[in-house]
Amino acid sequence: DGGITQSPKYLFRKEGQNVTLSCEQNLNHDAMYWYRQDPGQGLRLIYYSQIVNDFQKGDIAEGYSVSREKKESFPLTVTSAQKNPTAFYLCASSPTGTDTQYFGPGTRLTVL
Amino acid sequence: DQQVKQNSPSLSVQEGRISILNCDYTNSMFDYFLWYKKYPAEGPTFLISISSIKDKNEDGRFTVFLNKSAKHLSLHIVPSQPGDSAVYFCAASGVGSGGYQKVTFGIGTKLQVIP
């Protein structure tokens, strides 16, 4: 089965701790994206990567970091510098030459 | 600065009737538009899209209309079914500041189809 997986579905962390959210895809897509969704807001782009070993900041990159060492994987680290990390995080991927993005099921991060 | 606006946060429609979801955009450089459907605690799923060179695209019960001069697009669902109840996101694609194609999402409209 091809698809995008995000784990875990729910994540709890103490304030001040870094946490890494996993995103894996076996769709052979070149581009991958991270968004966060907050109540009453749309999807806001955190980081995106069009190709392995390259990534770009999105609209709200502060307090986050990413890596893209493999085509299949695009982990997101929420650092202690992120002032309001509690949110629903969505990973997506898209094939080259198309704007259609395919989303994972999301991870709900709660910082206590 | 919201470049993609969905001004109706919610919409209720009777089953079998038409649902019309609206979206406005401000960036004339957007050249591709998409609609996504999202259920609670799940990722959005792609529904339908339209290129800026077209004014209509139809897929089964779903039709998207694009009015470039008004910078407005709409999603029509007919007939509406209870399973259509979800949040619908409008999205627009154009070249971002980094030179890459970038998709900008609206805040969503929650559709409730009443049986």
Side-chain angles (χ1 to χ4, degrees), chain A residues 3-99:
Chain A
I4 303 175
T5 57
Q6 291 184 244
S7 60
K9 192 161 179 68
Y10 299 95
L11 190 55
F12 297 87
R13 278 294 180 270
K14 290 184 179 179
E15 193 173 339
Q17 288 182 335
N18 290 358
V19 59
T20 297
L21 280 60
S22 164
C23 177
E24 304 279 332
Q25 54 99 359
N26 59 4
L27 299 167
N28 200 33
H29 289 171
D30 286 311
M32 296 187 75
Y33 311 82
W34 274 105
Y35 295 89
R36 75 176 267 171
Q37 186 189 15
D38 297 282
Q41 300 208 36
L43 307 181
R44 293 186 291 166
L45 182 65
I46 304 172
Y47 267 98
Y48 61 105
S49 168
Q50 297 287 346
I51 197 168
V52 174
N53 292 322
D54 186 44
F55 48 82
Q56 308 290 329
K57 290 183 179 180
D59 300 319
I60 55 165
E62 186 175 347
Y64 299 97
S65 66
V66 292
S67 63
R68 186 85 187 277
E69 297 176 2
K70 297 187 300 181
K71 187 175 187 178
E72 303 80 17
S73 179
F74 191 40
L76 172 76
T77 298
V78 185
T79 75
S80 56
Q82 167 50 233
K83 294 188 183 348
N84 189 15
T86 294
F88 187 53
Y89 290 86
L90 287 158
C91 178
S93 69
S94 65
T96 304
T98 175
D99 296 317

Side-chain angles (χ1 to χ4, degrees), chain A residues 9-10 33 35 37 40-43 45 48 50-51 54 56 58-59 88 90 98-106 108, chain B residues 31-32 34 36 38 41-46 49 87 89 93-94 96-108:
Chain A
K9 192 161 179 68
Y10 299 95
Y33 311 82
Y35 295 89
Q37 186 189 15
Q41 300 208 36
L43 307 181
L45 182 65
Y48 61 105
Q50 297 287 346
I51 197 168
D54 186 44
Q56 308 290 329
D59 300 319
F88 187 53
L90 287 158
T98 175
D99 296 317
T100 303
Q101 297 181 16
Y102 298 86
F103 285 83
R108 180 163 296 282
Chain B
D31 55 10
Y32 197 74
L34 310 97
Y36 285 84
K38 184 181 181 301
E42 293 185 11
T45 54
F46 170 72
S49 62
V87 175
F89 288 100
S93 174
S97 56
Y100 291 113
Q101 202 73 3
K102 179 188 166 187
V103 177
T104 302
F105 287 83
I107 65 170

